[in-house]
């Protein structure tokens, strides 16, 4: 099996790094594994967390190296996530970050799906869907749109005033999404009749 | 890799010899130490064929493990409706657990096999059970299946080169597939 030393990183969970910083190590890792995409999944529930490498068609023919964000689980699960799957897919010059899970805050149960793909020139995919499980209705938005929502004062509602779309560390993205999801359950307590 | 010779009745597909079961702990032990817990490798066949390695926490060392190469499409065509092969990797020990449904109608066979080996090559468990029409058949073992011969003396389910102490995951799955294929036809 071939061996690698991903540039910049030493195998420890990632802290404070934007997706763009992962492009080169992702390329190193995918090439060394001998597969198109190394799919990594962290699955979190209270008292039951796991980390997976997942392969759809071909199994790796070389060494695999985990490159995954460190998550503050206690804080995260206390927010209302019944379970949360954090995904980081590593390909040659492409990194896809995903967040999907089930969230419940009285009286709103929802299913959340987020995909953000980083390419060499910036984000190439940004997609969020939220399904209100009481009525099975889905709303779509993007992380960019969420970052641009403002308060009456003009300050960003969910992002920080210094946050720049395209340059945020993974943990910061998760924090912003958490604020948005919590707020979404508040604004959707009453089911609108169409 | 060595290509294992097969009896010439046309129903066998040539395959390469892979890593023997008892050698897998040599690959798994560093990861068990690094994560401080056993880990699982699963290969599944069926509507959503995939493989994964599951750890209790993120390994901080490179993962070098020969994941079994099961040709999902071929196994589906052989008759498996669903099949999951799980390797439970503990320190110095590997447990192979095969579970599946063979056939896609109400007469599907429910198949389960378990083979536990340690790094010394000692077999701690070896059992193959099949449920047909809701009733369990007499249990057998991979060892017994390996001994079964045709009238001509050729191995009935194994290949000529298969040896019990050196069996790999791919070989065990292939042997059990031929066994249940025959049971299903009976």
């Amino acid at each position: 099996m071939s061996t690698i030393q991903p540039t910049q990183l030493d195998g420890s969970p990632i802290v404070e790094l934007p997706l763009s910083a992962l492009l080169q190590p992702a390329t190193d890792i995918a090439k060394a594994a001998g597969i198109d995409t190394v799919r990594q999944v962290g699955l979190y529930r209270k008292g039951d967390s796991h980390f997976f490498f997942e392969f759809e068609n071909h199994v790796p023919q070389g060494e695999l190296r985990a490159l995954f964000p460190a998550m503050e689980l206690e804080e995260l699960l206390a927010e209302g996530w019944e379970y949360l799957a954090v995904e980081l897919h590593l390909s040659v010059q492409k990194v896809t970050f995903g967040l999907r899970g089930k969230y419940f805050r009285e009286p709103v149960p929802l299913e959340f799906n987020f995909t953000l793909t980083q390419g060499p020139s910036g984000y190439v995919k940004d997609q969020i869907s939220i399904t209100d499980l009481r009525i099975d209705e889905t709303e779509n938005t993007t992380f960019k749109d969420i970052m641009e929502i403002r308060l009456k004062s003009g300050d960003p509602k969910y992002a920080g005033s210094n946050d720049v779309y395209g340059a945020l560390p993974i943990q910061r993205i998760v924090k912003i999404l958490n604020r948005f999801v919590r707020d979404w359950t508040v604004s959707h307590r009453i089911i609108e009749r169409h | 890799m060595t290509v294992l010779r097969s009896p010439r009745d046309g129903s066998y597909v040539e395959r390469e010899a892979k890593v023997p079961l008892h050698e897998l702990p040599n690959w798994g032990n560093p990861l068990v130490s690094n994560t401080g817990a056993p880990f699982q490798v699963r290969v599944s066949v069926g509507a959503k064929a995939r493989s994964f390695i599951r750890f209790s926490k993120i390994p901080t060392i490179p993962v070098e493990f020969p994941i079994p190469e099961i040709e999902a499409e071929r196994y589906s065509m052989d008759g498996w409706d669903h099949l999951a092969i799980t390797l439970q990797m503990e320190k110095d020990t590997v447990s192979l657990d095969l579970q599946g449904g063979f056939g896609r109608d109400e007469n599907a066979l429910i198949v389960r096999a378990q083979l536990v080996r340690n790094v010394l090559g000692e077999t701690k468990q070896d059992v193959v059970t099949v449920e047909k029409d809701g009733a369990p058949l007499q249990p057998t073992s991979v060892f017994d299946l390996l001994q079964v011969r045709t009238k001509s003396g050729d191995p009935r389910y194994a290949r000529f080169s298969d040896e019990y102490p050196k069996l790999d995951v791919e070989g065990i799955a292939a042997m059990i597939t031929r066994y249940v294929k025959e049971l299903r036809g009976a």
Side-chain angles (χ1 to χ4, degrees), chain B residues 35-121:
Chain B
T35 57
F39 68 95
Q40 293 82 35
V41 179
R42 179 174 293 177
V43 180
S44 58
V45 170
K48 217 174 178 186
R50 61 180 54 201
S51 323
F52 65 75
I53 312 180
R54 185 174 80 160
F55 297 98
S56 59
K57 62 177 194 181
I58 303 169
T60 55
I61 59 169
V63 175
E64 292 184 82
F65 191 88
I67 299 170
E69 293 184 55
I70 299 292
E71 289 174 52
E73 206 170 302
R74 184 163 70 80
Y75 276 77
S76 283
M77 280 168 60
D78 273 338
W80 287 102
D81 176 59
H82 57 277
L83 172 67
I85 299 171
T86 307
L87 300 173
Q88 167 84 3
M89 301 303 307
E90 294 177 38
K91 185 169 168 24
D92 293 336
T93 302
V94 50
S95 308
L96 179 151
D97 188 70
L98 179 151
Q99 290 192 56
F102 194 85
R104 297 182 177 86
D105 53 23
E106 67 277 10
N107 300 318
L109 304 175
I110 308 299
V111 184
R112 174 146 196 206
Q114 198 180 36
L115 186 60
V116 181
R117 284 246 163 101
N118 66 17
V119 76
L120 301 173

Side-chain angles (χ1 to χ4, degrees), chain B residues 58 113 122 131 171:
Chain B
I58 303 169
E122 295 166 330
E131 204 176 285

Side-chain angles (χ1 to χ4, degrees), chain A residues 1-3 10-13 49-56 59-66 68-69, chain B residues 27 40 43 48-69:
Chain A
M1 287 185 169
S2 59
T3 57
D10 64 358
S12 303
S49 297
H50 292 101
F51 172 79
F52 298 80
F53 282 112
E54 194 176 61
F55 316 102
E56 276 188 344
V59 297
Q61 301 301 315
E63 171 191 287
L64 274 175
R65 191 180 273 257
F68 205 71
Chain B
W27 300 79
Q40 293 82 35
V43 180
K48 217 174 178 186
R50 61 180 54 201
S51 323
F52 65 75
I53 312 180
R54 185 174 80 160
F55 297 98
S56 59
K57 62 177 194 181
I58 303 169
T60 55
I61 59 169
V63 175
E64 292 184 82
F65 191 88
I67 299 170
E69 293 184 55

Side-chain angles (χ1 to χ4, degrees), chain A residues 13-86:
Chain A
I14 307 162
V15 180
E16 295 301 318
L17 278 180
L19 291 181
S20 56
L22 307 181
L23 284 174
Q24 188 53 51
T27 301
D28 293 348
I29 289 171
K31 280 184 178 170
I35 50 178
D36 293 341
T37 303
V38 174
R39 297 164 62 97
Q40 307 170 101
V41 183
L43 186 61
Y44 307 106
R45 288 178 210 268
K46 271 191 181 137
D48 180 28
S49 297
H50 292 101
F51 172 79
F52 298 80
F53 282 112
E54 194 176 61
F55 316 102
E56 276 188 344
N57 298 314
H58 303 287
V59 297
Q61 301 301 315
E63 171 191 287
L64 274 175
R65 191 180 273 257
L67 181 67
F68 205 71
M71 306 299 294
E72 290 170 23
L73 282 190
E74 295 301 322
E75 193 185 318
L76 203 68
L77 293 174
E79 291 278 354
W81 292 102
E82 290 182 7
Y83 76 84
L84 185 64
V86 177

